[in-house]
Amino acid sequence: MRRNNMRAGFTLIELLIVLAIIAALLSIVTPIALNAVRQATATKVATNMRNMAAAAQQYILIDKPSSVPTGNLLPTLIQQNYLSKMNNDESNDY
């Protein structure tokens, strides 16, 4: 009778190669994913700012036609409201 000394499983070299391949793939994918998250955040901020400007404009023109501000006051008001909302949202982890 002959004994088979071969074990079923992976060698250390095979495991290290697989780990190296996974690390290389992660190093390629991570910057791409982070860039996508940054672009999504920038798009979300721009959309929120545009929606807030439209809402403020509608409020001023429809509800308060006699108190339309003169000059370039609207962007400042929108930015202040948005920044205070962003600070409140950062405290909520959702």
Side-chain angles (χ1 to χ4, degrees), residues 31-87:
I32 295 170
L34 291 177
N35 191 22
V37 169
R38 284 189 198 111
Q39 287 179 347
T41 303
T43 302
K44 180 179 168 184
V45 167
T47 301
N48 287 343
M49 292 294 286
R50 187 176 62 234
N51 289 341
M52 288 174 58
Q57 226 172 11
Q58 288 176 359
Y59 173 74
I60 290 170
L61 294 176
I62 294 171
D63 292 336
K64 305 280 185 181
S66 62
S67 64
V68 176
T70 58
N72 200 5
L73 182 63
L74 187 60
T76 305
L77 294 173
I78 292 170
Q79 185 178 15
Q80 288 173 352
N81 288 338
Y82 183 75
L83 290 177
S84 67
K85 183 178 179 343
M86 276 183 55
N87 290 336

